Amino acid sequence: MKDRREVRRLTCIVCPLGCEIEVLLDRGPGGDVRVLEVEGAACPRGREWAAREVTDPKRVVITVVPVRGGDPPTVSVKTDRPIPKSRIPEFMRALAGLEVEAPVRVGQVLASGVLDLANVVATRESRSMGRSLGERP
Amino acid sequence: MGVRVVVVGAGVVGASVARVLSRYEGLEVHLVDANPDVGWGVSKANTGIVHGGYDDDPDRFPLRAELCALGNEIWHRWVEELDVPHTWSGALVVALEGDQRRELESLLERGRRNGVPELRIVEREEALAMEPNLTQEVEAALWAPTVGQIHPVRATVAIVENAVDNGVRVHLETEVRGVKVEGGEVRGLETSRGFLEADVVVNAAGLRADELADMAGVEFPRIRPRRGEYWIFDRSAGPKPRRVLFPTPTPTSKGVVVTTEVSGHLMIGPNAEDLPPDAKGDVGNTAKGLEEVWERAGELWPRLPPRRLVIRTFAGLRPEPEGGDFVVGNTEVWGFVNAAGTRSPGLTAAPAIALRVRDALVELGIELREKGEWKATRRDIESTIDLGWRERVERARDDPLRGRVVCRCNLVTEREVLEAIERMRAVGVRTPSIDSVKFRTGATSGTCQGSFCRVRLVELLAREFGVPPWGVTLKGRGSEVGVGDVKVLLRGASTGGEGSEE
Amino acid sequence: MRSRVEGRRDVVVVGGGPAGMAAAARAAEMGLDVLLVDEGRRLGGILPQCIHPGFGVHYLGEELTGPEFAQRLASRVEDAGVDLLLDAHVPEVRWISHAEKGVRVLSPGFSGEVRTGAVIYAAGARERHRFEIGILGDRVAGVYTAGEAQTMMDVYGILPGRRVLVVGSGDVGMIVARRFALEGAEVVGVVEIMPYPGGLTRNVVQCLEDFDIPLLLSHRVVAVRGRGRGRVERAVLVRVDEGLRDVPGTETEVECDTVVVSAGLVPRMEVLRELGALIDQATGGPMVNDRLETTVPGVFAAGNALVINDLVDHAAEQGEQAAEGAAEFLRRGGIPATDWVKLRPGEGVKLTVPQLLSGERDVWVYLRVARPVRNARLSLRGAGKEVRLPVVRPAEMVRVKLMAGEVRRAKVGGREVVAEVYGG
Ligand SMILES: Cc1cc2nc3c(=O)[nH]c(=O)nc-3n(C[C@H](O)[C@H](O)[C@H](O)COP(=O)(O)OP(=O)(O)OC[C@H]3O[C@@H](n4cnc5c(N)ncnc54)[C@H](O)[C@@H]3O)c2cc1C
């Protein structure tokens, strides 16, 4: 049997100090991860972050969605909650076909429950473009 | 039945030929170029100087000597007729040591023989009074007041627009691949867009004139590319000279020039580096070449601005014909007329070369009668940056798009961009490219080098040409600004502009 | 939006990014008659293209994306009753007297000169481009500045390329690298000339490590190649030594179709230069006093047009300060004369703002260090002030408050405060 213990080195991102943190962890047979020890963090927030980062790293995903007839022709969006880091590529592919109609308001939900992970919310507006592309409405 | 003349090469020389021939009844003139727009060969990247005509030795290079001096004279008229941005700033050829002074004297003598007026050698004090920032090392200088500067691509565009106005047909993105000759006479051209019948073919193919002559089985000296590199400074950077400053020339080159080019930027260059014959597309910049230019320029102009005020570097290739002289006129194949070997001062000589080509047609027995109606003038796109404040406001009040500034650095408005696009179409541009707008308006060539406005140009070009924005190009097919819409890779499909035929 | 343009103003703000919006809102909230002019078709400056989070933590107390931050400030501008002139370019500001300026505007809707008592110049910055950082080689498509690439992708919806090399590891460079990676492009690397990353550690982790993007320190891109096809095919890199000189024989080539240049920003100074404002070579922006007034009376500066900020919070804060300065200028017919104390960078410090201190008020001093230092000791020599900081980096502006009394100490000494940073 292989040793299931491993040491992960991280650079802390909680504050500008950027502590070099070492996390000793134990990998269960089902892939579950248990944190045994956190070293090198100057503060409790850093310790907490590091533990979470090795067990279940999550990120808010930011991208754009094309807007048909919109000025500008895209809106920026974010997920309304962080999603597991490992699933970001899959999440992005799931959004790739999404296109919405102008106008779009800030805060509008453009897709809900994507991969059962998060809703996608507009962070920028896009107006309906009168007649021709590029002309001011 | 008219005589079909096909001019190969829409550089300044081919354009000039087309314009001159557009004047005559009974000629059907076509202008063909492989590039997406006119003036994108050698004519794109050079110093833009309308030389005086004192450099060229009439014994060794009789055509250069004669056509440069004559070309200078004609350009004085053409810039007015065609509204080409220009300055008649004059030039100083600067001697730094005693034996260079002797060279000035022989330039003066050559100039006299070539019929160049108003040449004079000025002594140190006068040279420094004329150009206070000139090197203190100056011994004497040749003062040549007839020397000027033009914007070479805008000049070519102007000539072609006027030629088109007078009935010339332009075929861009049309590469000539063969010349059909039967019984010692030209019949036509094999091109990437099919066969073009021709009674007369004018070889104005610049760097590739030797290759075109080969296609016709006409003997022609080999053309080697000789690279020249340049630095351009921000408009705010100085000091700038009032006149074009040359060093004393060497046998291979007129040397590194220090000048304020027509749009008001300090520019230094070019050096002269011989490249292998197969390097006719090699217009990249090199550290070595640029350093050489910097050093040479500093010898004339010690107060060069700091490097952080450089906004651009570029390089051009001179088509250097073996033997060194222009090759102009009729050949052993009836109807194949050369207008080539156009090393420097080919830009200056272009209008005079064109007159020689007309004479060659007369020699062939083609009867040339001037048209009753021929339009001599053409107006440029009015540049907002050249207007005073009152005029700017008036224009903007009359036309809202004259009030929408697209390029901030050079104050190019949306109207100017749209007019450029209209004129691109008028000369047959098929592929929307940023460079076509840049050369016609100055947009993207200022302090920020387009980081603000390039995308605005993309938006306008896409709209006017009816293509998706990612299909707009920098300088023709293969230089699309994007590979598709922002999701193209995630969808796993390519909708890139590449390969999408028209 | 319908706005009144004609007529004399108390304040004209040039630039509608975070600094300009904050300035305009603050000035109007103080009861001044304000016109805000911006080139864009909408407010926000560069914020609408900065779609990542990280904006407003200090200024608004919550973390927003760029567009959201812009939206917040834009509503404040509107609520404050600021008149807006968008899609409008200011090529020139004309000096009439110390108390009167003419702001020249070109726009589709209005063109002409707007008379005003004070001007707040918040026109932002431009990006340094390939020619300024010595990238030679071929002039081909596929070379963009970071902001341009962002705008193409995140505003116009154009993907610039498939295989991307980023030049410069500041926050912007790393954030752009992540944007490309997210959209399925391959980011072949981020190249940094310095021996340390230019941006925040947080971005090294979240933008580069998260996406397995290699960071190549102590390297420089010297050329792009792409003969014939008209598109970038390769970039040429070279290693540099501690003196940032190229190490001969270390040239390597990287295949890519896109080179994104993220080599920093330069304040846009054309208008101020023409007006005769003195430019600080260290900041690239105008020299200002502690009211953020330039050396041209009645003309104030804020945001990236004053000094390149890494936090939007600072830019907005400067906008408010400039608005307060302008209000005082209008109230008193000019900023009162005084024997100014000069603030300048010393050992370990690259730049300091503001450059002139009155000693009549507490003042926020912004400074940027020359290299990263842990356990740093920041000394404001002349003012007798010392501050300890756990870590300082060139990427992060240091901001300290200098009390009026501390400045006055320098009035008896050398009439100068020198900012210096030492290791602990
Ligand atoms: C660095 C440098 C500095 C110079 N400085 C000056 C100066 O200051 N003053 C001056 O007077 N002169 C100067 N010159 C010279 C001047 O630029 C040239 O003489 C002039 O531009 C040549 O014009 P052209 O029309 O002959 O060639 P080009 O402009 O190259 O035109 C030829 C055209 O032919 C086309 N073509 C070629 N083969 C084919 C084909 N098979 N099918 C279709 N199309 C084809 C090409 O695409 C090209 O557009 C300089 C040159 C260089 C390189």
Side-chain angles (χ1 to χ4, degrees):
Chain A
M1 263 271 125
K2 269 214 162 159
D3 192 358
R4 299 183 317 182
R5 294 193 168 193
E6 100 186 42
V7 175
R8 291 273 303 276
R9 288 191 181 75
L10 303 171
T11 310
C12 185
I13 61 172
V14 171
C15 83
L17 217 50
C19 293
E20 299 297 331
I21 302 182
E22 285 190 3
V23 185
L24 180 65
L25 51 85
D26 184 79
R27 229 174 247 292
D32 53 314
V33 171
R34 209 154 49 87
V35 174
L36 302 174
E37 238 176 82
V38 178
E39 256 175 55
C43 72
R45 280 177 63 215
R47 261 195 300 282
E48 230 173 83
W49 171 82
R52 211 174 341 108
E53 184 70 9
V54 296
T55 50
D56 184 20
K58 287 186 169 178
R59 303 283 186 262
V60 168
V61 174
I62 300 288
T63 181
V64 292
V65 170
V67 182
R68 211 169 310 128
D71 172 31
T74 64
V75 283
S76 52
V77 296
K78 64 180 179 188
T79 53
D80 63 350
R81 67 200 77 158
I83 69 165
K85 197 176 104 177
S86 58
R87 301 195 65 189
I88 292 177
E90 184 192 349
F91 191 88
M92 286 298 294
R93 279 193 302 275
L95 283 187
L98 180 63
E99 191 178 358
V100 296
E101 290 286 337
V104 177
R105 290 171 285 103
V106 177
Q108 189 175 329
V109 175
L110 302 185
S112 38
V114 181
L115 301 179
D116 289 328
L117 292 174
N119 299 327
V120 171
V121 182
T123 57
R124 191 174 64 207
E125 67 166 18
S126 176
R127 297 176 213 158
S128 266
M129 193 169 43
R131 282 108 274 163
S132 66
L133 193 96
E135 276 296 328
R136 265 169 69 76
Chain B
M1 268 285 57
V3 178
R4 256 171 92 100
V5 181
V6 180
V7 181
V8 181
V12 69
V13 172
S16 299
V17 171
R19 177 182 196 233
V20 165
L21 296 186
S22 75
R23 191 163 195 153
Y24 299 101
E25 210 87 67
L27 294 185
E28 182 184 313
V29 183
H30 297 255
L31 182 59
V32 175
D33 203 296
N35 284 328
D37 200 348
V38 303
W40 281 14
V42 181
S43 303
K44 178 164 85 166
N46 55 61
T47 325
I49 293 171
V50 180
H51 287 290
Y54 50 79
D55 286 286
D56 304 293
D57 184 340
D59 298 326
R60 295 179 57 209
F61 311 114
L63 274 179
R64 267 160 58 183
E66 183 191 338
L67 299 180
C68 181
L70 179 59
N72 178 296
E73 212 181 297
I74 301 174
W75 271 118
H76 277 76
R77 197 171 71 241
W78 281 27
V79 293
E80 302 294 339
E81 286 175 355
L82 300 173
D83 203 11
V84 173
H86 68 277
T87 61
W88 296 111
S89 52
L92 286 174
V93 185
V94 178
L96 301 180
E97 307 147 5
D99 50 338
Q100 288 191 345
R101 195 197 154 102
R102 273 200 296 285
E103 188 58 33
L104 293 189
E105 278 156 15
S106 55
L107 287 181
L108 179 69
E109 173 55 20
R110 264 184 237 162
R112 227 179 35 74
R113 283 181 62 195
N114 293 345
V116 182
E118 293 286 347
L119 286 177
R120 182 163 66 89
I121 291 180
V122 298
E123 297 306 325
R124 180 171 192 276
E125 292 67 36
E126 191 175 350
L128 284 171
M130 292 169 91
E131 293 292 343
N133 291 297
L134 188 62
T135 174
Q136 294 293 316
E137 314 279 300
V138 54
E139 282 267 332
L142 179 71
W143 166 225
T146 59
V147 171
Q149 299 184 86
I150 55 179
H151 187 305
V153 186
R154 279 179 102 154
T156 308
V157 167
I159 299 169
V160 174
E161 281 180 13
N162 176 247
V164 167
D165 233 12
N166 287 304
V168 170
R169 277 172 247 177
V170 184
H171 311 258
L172 294 172
E173 295 186 53
T174 307
E175 192 192 350
V176 175
R177 295 174 176 161
V179 181
K180 189 169 170 200
V181 178
E182 268 175 16
E185 290 181 16
V186 163
R187 292 280 183 246
L189 297 169
E190 311 283 354
T191 82
S192 54
R193 290 181 187 271
F195 186 74
L196 251 180
E197 268 179 49
D199 303 310
V200 173
V201 166
V202 179
N203 176 9
L207 279 163
R208 300 192 183 276
D210 51 352
E211 295 163 33
L212 191 75
D214 290 348
M215 293 176 204
V218 165
E219 226 172 295
F220 197 95
R222 294 301 90 186
I223 288 180
R224 287 177 64 103
R226 182 179 284 168
R227 179 158 57 194
E229 304 195 44
Y230 298 83
W231 303 81
I232 296 190
F233 294 87
D234 189 47
R235 202 194 303 277
S236 69
K240 306 176 204 178
R242 279 186 54 183
R243 301 160 185 83
V244 182
L245 303 178
F246 291 96
T248 303
T250 65
T252 49
S253 136
K254 289 188 269 290
V256 170
V257 168
V258 176
T259 186
T260 306
E261 49 86 86
V262 272
S263 40
H265 299 258
L266 179 66
M267 177 170 92
I268 58 175
N271 62 333
E273 178 194 0
D274 282 312
L275 300 184
D278 62 350
K280 287 177 179 175
D282 210 352
V283 285
N285 275 117
T286 68
K288 191 164 156 280
L290 287 171
E291 289 308 328
E292 182 189 344
V293 167
W294 193 277
E295 196 180 315
R296 293 280 103 80
E299 288 165 11
L300 286 189
W301 201 249
R303 292 183 55 202
L304 286 178
R307 292 244 174 135
R308 65 185 161 76
L309 292 180
V310 169
I311 58 166
R312 191 154 38 98
T313 58
F314 70 94
L317 296 176
R318 307 171 182 85
E320 285 294 328
E322 244 167 49
D325 206 356
F326 296 156
V327 183
V328 183
N330 284 311
T331 63
E332 58 269 36
V333 170
W334 195 97
F336 191 87
V337 184
N338 281 320
T342 42
R343 73 184 303 283
S344 188
L347 175 69
T348 311
I353 291 173
L355 295 185
R356 275 298 177 95
V357 169
R358 179 200 58 192
D359 297 346
L361 263 54
V362 174
E363 274 172 35
L364 291 178
I366 299 168
E367 201 188 320
L368 298 181
R369 233 172 328 103
E370 286 195 4
K371 288 178 183 166
E373 245 171 66
W374 183 76
K375 220 176 146 207
T377 59
R378 164 267 183 197
R379 300 264 56 92
D380 199 7
I381 301 173
E382 189 180 57
S383 294
T384 303
I385 198 166
D386 294 334
L387 301 177
W389 178 248
R390 258 168 219 277
E391 289 170 298
R392 287 178 189 174
V393 170
E394 274 166 25
R395 298 294 190 284
R397 286 186 180 161
D398 291 347
D399 174 4
L401 295 186
R402 281 300 292 265
R404 179 177 291 151
V405 174
V406 174
C407 165
R408 304 157 179 192
C409 304
N410 286 341
L411 219 62
V412 179
T413 64
E414 184 164 326
R415 174 59 69 212
E416 286 152 78
V417 174
L418 293 178
E419 211 178 315
I421 292 172
E422 209 172 287
R423 288 171 183 230
M424 282 156 63
R425 290 176 169 289
V427 301
V429 171
R430 309 158 186 267
T431 304
S433 71
I434 293 163
D435 271 3
S436 287
V437 176
K438 164 181 152 170
F439 287 125
R440 285 170 176 82
T441 63
T444 77
S445 63
T447 309
C448 86
Q449 287 294 300
S451 56
F452 283 114
C453 69
R454 201 159 13 228
V455 66
R456 291 277 291 120
L457 299 185
V458 167
E459 190 186 25
L460 293 170
L461 282 162
R463 186 185 81 192
E464 297 299 313
F465 276 82
V467 299
W470 42 89
V472 171
T473 73
L474 178 67
K475 51 176 195 176
R477 271 162 220 239
S479 68
E480 284 74 15
V481 297
V483 294
D485 74 279
V486 65
K487 301 294 171 186
V488 66
L489 298 179
L490 291 172
R491 280 199 314 271
S494 168
T495 59
E498 289 160 78
S500 56
E501 273 289 316
E502 270 147 89
Chain C
M1 161 165 317
R2 205 165 25 83
S3 280
R4 181 176 68 89
V5 177
E6 250 98 352
R8 187 179 184 280
R9 299 299 174 139
D10 295 328
V11 180
V12 173
V13 179
V14 180
M21 287 193 289
R26 180 85 186 97
E29 284 159 5
M30 287 186 289
L32 299 173
D33 179 6
V34 184
L35 176 71
L36 172 58
V37 187
D38 192 273
E39 281 158 344
R41 293 183 231 178
R42 42 194 89 74
L43 281 176
I46 59 164
L47 288 175
Q49 83 203 33
C50 302
I51 65 170
H52 54 280
F55 294 85
V57 181
H58 305 274
Y59 188 70
L60 297 176
E62 97 185 86
E63 183 165 358
L64 302 174
T65 64
E68 292 168 315
F69 185 94
Q71 173 98 1
R72 293 285 178 90
L73 266 181
S75 339
R76 190 177 146 203
V77 165
E78 227 162 289
D79 293 346
V82 172
D83 286 320
L84 285 183
L85 183 56
L86 294 177
D87 206 0
H89 178 77
V90 173
E92 194 183 342
V93 173
R94 191 165 69 92
W95 165 279
I96 296 161
S97 75
H98 85 282
E100 187 86 357
K101 308 287 175 293
V103 177
R104 295 184 155 176
V105 184
L106 285 177
S107 80
F110 167 87
S111 293
E113 187 175 286
V114 181
R115 292 291 193 101
T116 183
V119 174
I120 298 176
Y121 186 75
R126 67 172 181 85
E127 298 179 274
R128 297 218 295 155
H129 52 72
R130 70 172 277 197
F131 296 109
E132 284 172 292
I133 62 166
I135 300 182
L136 303 177
D138 301 320
R139 192 179 160 277
V140 281
V143 185
Y144 300 107
T145 60
E148 187 180 10
Q150 267 183 339
T151 307
M152 287 173 74
M153 231 188 303
D154 293 340
V155 178
Y156 289 85
I158 305 167
L159 191 70
R162 301 166 208 273
R163 273 180 70 89
V164 184
L165 183 74
V166 177
V167 184
S169 68
D171 290 320
V172 176
M174 294 195 283
I175 285 165
V176 168
R178 172 176 61 187
R179 278 297 295 131
F180 273 102
L182 270 172
E183 299 300 341
E186 183 186 353
V187 183
V188 294
V190 173
V191 182
E192 171 60 54
I193 190 169
M194 303 303 285
Y196 47 83
L200 302 172
T201 309
R202 158 184 151 129
N203 285 327
V204 176
V205 174
Q206 296 201 344
C207 297
L208 305 189
E209 291 172 9
D210 270 11
F211 294 90
D212 296 320
I213 296 171
L215 173 62
L216 202 57
L217 299 174
S218 295
H219 277 74
R220 187 169 90 80
V221 175
V222 292
V224 294
R225 307 238 176 271
R227 221 189 307 163
R229 281 195 56 233
R231 174 90 201 183
V232 177
E233 287 167 353
R234 281 161 294 140
V236 185
L237 311 184
V238 64
R239 207 174 73 229
V240 299
D241 63 18
E242 303 86 73
L244 305 184
R245 289 170 302 249
D246 298 356
V247 179
T250 60
E251 286 199 0
T252 49
E253 292 196 343
V254 180
E255 258 182 56
C256 54
D257 65 6
T258 305
V259 172
V260 174
V261 177
S262 177
L265 303 172
V266 187
R268 285 177 65 191
M269 277 304 98
E270 303 81 28
V271 168
L272 288 187
R273 204 188 297 118
E274 285 299 305
L275 248 179
L278 217 60
I279 311 288
D280 179 343
Q281 291 304 319
T283 60
M287 181 162 129
V288 292
N289 61 27
D290 57 16
R291 282 319 216 181
L292 303 191
E293 186 192 29
T294 68
T295 55
V296 180
V299 178
F300 298 76
N304 280 359
L306 168 63
V307 60
I308 302 304
N309 290 281
D310 45 273
L311 285 178
V312 73
D313 310 78
H314 292 166
E317 175 180 278
Q318 290 152 11
E320 307 224 357
Q321 289 171 17
E324 283 156 23
E328 183 181 359
F329 176 92
L330 294 168
R331 198 168 57 243
R332 306 177 68 162
I335 298 296
T338 186
D339 51 344
W340 297 98
V341 170
K342 197 154 190 230
L343 171 67
R344 69 171 176 87
E347 174 69 28
V349 176
K350 263 199 313 218
L351 56 88
T352 49
V353 171
Q355 292 85 346
L356 297 173
L357 311 174
S358 62
E360 278 148 37
R361 61 185 64 81
D362 304 345
V363 56
W364 283 115
V365 166
Y366 304 90
L367 62 92
R368 212 174 268 284
V369 297
R371 68 195 74 85
V373 180
R374 277 181 184 271
N375 295 321
R377 190 158 56 79
L378 165 64
S379 146
L380 292 158
R381 192 157 52 78
K385 181 167 190 127
E386 239 186 60
V387 187
R388 293 208 155 258
L389 297 160
V391 62
V392 292
R393 295 177 226 271
E396 292 163 65
M397 185 97 89
V398 179
R399 169 173 166 274
V400 286
K401 186 158 243 174
L402 206 50
M403 309 312 264
E406 293 166 337
V407 175
R408 280 199 298 274
R409 277 186 213 151
K411 291 210 170 184
V412 293
R415 217 162 270 305
E416 186 175 77
V417 175
V418 184
E420 296 166 340
V421 165
Y422 302 97

